[in-house]
Amino acid sequence: MGRIDGKTIWITGASSGIGEALTYQLDKKKCKLVISSRKEIELQRVKANCTHQENIEIISLDLSDLNDMPEKATLAFSAFGQMDILINNAGISQRSEIINTDISVYKQLMDINYLGTVALSKAILPYFMKAKNGHFVTVSSLMGKFAGPQRSGYCGSKHALHGFFDVLRMEHEKDGISVTMICPGYVQTNIDKNALTADGSPQEKHDIENQNGLPVAVFARKMIRAIERQKYEAYMGKKEVMGIYLKRFFPKLLHRIVVKSTE
Ligand SMILES: NC(=O)c1ccc[n+]([C@@H]2O[C@H](COP(=O)([O-])OP(=O)(O)OC[C@H]3O[C@@H](n4cnc5c(N)ncnc54)[C@H](OP(=O)(O)O)[C@@H]3O)[C@@H](O)[C@H]2O)c1
């Protein structure tokens, strides 16, 4: 694809964290942006911080309202009459052990992280096919490639995204459509505060690992480079990225390291 400057991009989860940081950096690159999440007031705040506000359209949505996605896609496409990239960034995490976790928490994680992302992507797909151009960028996690305790439902939802988007890439490469999976390690956002606990209530506190993670602006810059290079998968973090290679070549060693580090 080359440089991202001036492209039309739809970012979900733009009211906070990674999506907010991406919005500011892409605004500087004069991209036309559709920004989405549930909290419209937060999206207004993000828009107000941008330099080129005429290039920013707000469409509020809740990813768990799966049937709303076709209408949201029509609105997003008509905002600027085209769409080059969908950044599926919105998501929630989890901090609870399997034995205690209510099944409703698994449903919520799958509805938002997996099914919502699938529904939104399916809704924009016909527009990308018609234009013979389109790039799906999905923010998964290192937890979409290996696992960590207290994140069983989160890991399941992120692993599932890789299966779906690997197939989408295979079926639609011929239509000029590409797919990039972004796998962050720890990034300094509110993902840990918003993480669901065993009964579905948010954890409401930061974890030391996240707060020692990559600063969100640094992460967003790396992510934009990976999008421009049209990488199939990009792993971004600190030493936790090693888990990818340990999982591939020494899975039992990775298991022992993770269990020991969380004892
Ligand atoms: N930070 C990390 O260490 C880390 C690591 C690995 C992966 N990730 C992934 O990065 C992505 C962004 O997370 P973040 O770190 O930036 O966390 P964040 O600060 O909590 O932001 C999450 C965003 O998702 C939106 N969202 C949550 N539920 C939604 C729903 N039902 N419908 C629509 N939007 C919803 C939130 O907005 P509203 O509340 O306004 O809806 C918010 O804008 C997530 O997919 C996460 O899994 C983050």
Side-chain angles (χ1 to χ4, degrees):
M1 158 182 265
R3 292 180 69 89
I4 206 164
D5 302 59
K7 300 278 181 199
T8 306
I9 304 173
W10 188 5
I11 308 171
T12 68
S15 64
S16 165
I18 293 171
E20 179 176 355
L22 282 171
T23 301
Y24 298 147
Q25 294 188 19
L26 294 171
D27 166 56
K28 288 206 182 81
K29 292 177 184 292
K30 301 212 172 110
C31 293
K32 295 190 170 58
L33 301 175
V34 178
I35 59 172
S36 292
S37 80
R38 289 165 303 177
K39 300 187 189 101
E40 189 158 351
I41 194 150
E42 289 300 311
L43 295 169
Q44 295 286 4
R45 175 187 60 78
V46 171
K47 179 174 174 173
N49 289 334
C50 290
T51 312
H52 306 285
Q53 289 179 33
E54 69 283 5
N55 287 346
I56 305 203
E57 194 71 29
I58 290 173
I59 298 179
S60 60
L61 59 80
D62 185 336
L63 278 178
S64 56
D65 293 333
L66 303 180
N67 294 330
D68 287 357
M69 296 310 134
E71 186 201 333
K72 301 291 179 184
T74 305
L75 283 174
F77 186 84
S78 22
F80 299 104
Q82 65 173 90
M83 189 62 69
D84 297 306
I85 305 173
L86 167 62
I87 303 184
N88 286 310
N89 164 70
I92 50 166
S93 193
Q94 176 198 9
R95 299 290 186 271
S96 58
E97 289 183 354
I98 296 169
I99 188 70
N100 304 319
T101 302
D102 198 275
I103 195 68
S104 64
V105 173
Y106 289 96
K107 185 169 180 328
Q108 213 179 327
L109 287 159
M110 286 307 279
D111 279 355
I112 296 170
N113 293 354
Y114 180 66
L115 287 176
T117 300
V118 167
L120 190 64
S121 300
K122 265 179 65 58
I124 202 75
L125 181 60
Y127 294 98
F128 281 176
M129 288 173 72
K130 189 157 181 235
K132 288 264 170 206
N133 166 57
H135 191 169
F136 289 96
V137 177
T138 296
V139 182
S140 167
S141 170
L142 291 182
M143 293 290 100
K145 302 298 289 183
F146 58 96
Q150 307 234 6
R151 292 158 171 82
S152 51
Y154 181 70
C155 286
S157 67
K158 293 294 189 180
H159 273 70
L161 286 171
H162 286 267
F164 178 84
F165 281 101
D166 283 349
V167 174
L168 194 152
R169 186 190 291 115
M170 288 168 179
E171 291 182 355
H172 291 286
E173 191 177 54
K174 64 178 185 325
D175 300 316
I177 291 170
S178 46
V179 170
T180 297
M181 302 300 289
I182 303 288
C183 303
Y186 296 116
V187 185
Q188 294 170 23
T189 69
N190 283 332
I191 192 83
D192 44 3
K193 277 179 108 172
N194 297 328
L196 304 180
T197 59
D199 62 2
S201 60
Q203 172 172 249
E204 281 180 346
K205 69 177 176 63
H206 283 303
D207 293 333
I208 188 80
E209 295 85 0
N210 280 87
Q211 295 320 297
N212 289 335
L214 288 182
V216 70
V218 172
F219 178 84
R221 254 195 310 281
K222 286 175 184 283
M223 182 167 157
I224 289 170
R225 273 203 298 279
I227 297 171
E228 290 185 327
R229 289 176 190 160
Q230 296 213 327
K231 290 201 164 192
Y232 277 16
E233 273 183 16
Y235 316 120
M236 299 167 191
K238 294 185 176 172
K239 65 176 190 313
E240 63 273 17
V241 171
M242 283 305 296
I244 293 282
Y245 307 98
L246 290 173
K247 168 79 182 185
R248 196 171 299 160
F249 299 113
F250 307 104
K252 287 190 173 175
L253 176 61
L254 175 66
H255 170 85
R256 282 201 296 275
I257 293 171
V258 173
V259 169
K260 189 143 189 58
S261 71
T262 51
E263 270 169 3

